[in-house]
Amino acid sequence: KETVTAESGEVSYKHAKQTGGRGQFGHVVIELEPGEPKSGVTFENKITGGKIPKEFIPGIEDGVMEAARSGPMAGYPVVDVAVTLYDGSYHDVDSSEIAFKIAAIEAFKMAILKAKPALLEPIMVVDVITPENVMGQIIGDLNSRRGQIESNLQRGSSRVIRAYVPLAEMFGYATAIRSLSFDAVGADRRYRTRARGTCR
């Protein structure tokens, strides 16, 4: 999935098209910022003074939600962002819900690029139970896998290391951890080091 790490600031987009007869006109001004974790995409309407008629607001929200289905970095869904609509304009004849939807889609695409987009990835919560004399090698290996050590506790003669590690770095870990402990303590204790993990 994709998200943002900063505020976009004011982003304005005007969709205006004239093809003979009735045209299309929709103008929105939005701001995008990081939302609460697991909040998905939230939309808030702060239009005042009738700058955009109420009947066009659902089209704008639909445009935001549609644009969020495909992020700019790799085409993954955008999550945990807050979008605020606070300005815009309309045309008495040419404005329509579809025109405002198109304007919202384009404004969202512009805003997310200004808000420092980032990729999210699955993270494993990994508990490694290991003899103390191979603890350094285990921690070093977890760090090399972009792991973040949360705790390192004593349990009897062993250590329990809890870390958060990207799932992409965990393939083949069972083999690697056996090799690390085998090299350090010899074949007689090869299987004393073990790990278990769950994905968040």
Side-chain angles (χ1 to χ4, degrees):
K1 296 180 180 179
E2 302 182 28
T3 191
V4 297
T5 59
E7 296 182 2
S8 67
E10 179 182 302
V11 175
S12 173
Y13 187 87
K14 184 181 293 184
H15 175 69
K17 193 173 183 182
Q18 191 69 44
T19 56
R22 183 173 179 177
Q24 294 181 23
F25 183 91
H27 173 218
V28 299
V29 181
I30 66 170
E31 189 173 62
L32 189 147
E33 61 185 349
E36 294 295 322
K38 299 183 180 179
S39 64
V41 179
T42 61
F43 175 83
E44 184 177 4
N45 173 27
K46 287 190 175 179
I47 291 292
T48 59
K51 293 179 179 178
I52 299 176
K54 290 182 179 179
E55 60 264 29
F56 298 140
I57 302 301
I60 297 171
E61 184 172 1
D62 287 347
V64 166
M65 297 305 172
E66 182 174 315
R69 292 184 194 135
S70 180
M73 299 189 72
Y76 296 121
V78 177
V79 297
D80 302 342
V81 298
V83 180
T84 304
L85 169 69
Y86 61 92
D87 204 355
S89 60
Y90 73 102
H91 188 277
D92 289 333
V93 176
D94 293 341
S95 286
S96 64
E97 189 170 334
I98 188 66
F100 275 102
K101 181 176 180 178
I102 293 169
I105 290 172
E106 297 304 321
F108 183 91
K109 290 178 180 178
M110 292 168 57
I112 200 168
L113 289 172
K114 292 178 66 176
K116 297 183 180 178
L119 280 175
L120 297 173
E121 60 182 330
I123 301 293
M124 296 289 292
V125 183
V126 181
D127 290 327
V128 183
I129 304 167
T130 180
E132 193 157 354
N133 57 347
V134 292
M135 179 181 65
Q137 290 91 326
I138 299 299
I139 290 176
D141 182 68
L142 290 170
N143 287 333
S144 73
R145 296 170 185 271
R146 297 187 288 135
Q148 295 182 347
I149 308 299
E150 184 192 53
S151 62
N152 183 354
L153 305 174
Q154 187 81 39
R155 182 187 293 176
S157 60
S158 299
R159 304 291 294 198
V160 181
I161 303 164
R162 169 161 285 194
Y164 296 101
V165 188
L167 176 62
E169 305 289 345
M170 291 302 294
F171 295 106
Y173 186 62
T175 302
I177 201 172
R178 289 190 187 112
S179 177
L180 281 172
S181 55
F182 177 77
D183 292 343
V185 302
D188 58 327
R189 297 178 66 185
R190 181 174 180 177
Y191 296 103
R192 288 286 303 281
T193 300
R194 58 195 186 278
R196 62 178 182 269
T198 56
C199 193
R200 285 189 175 176

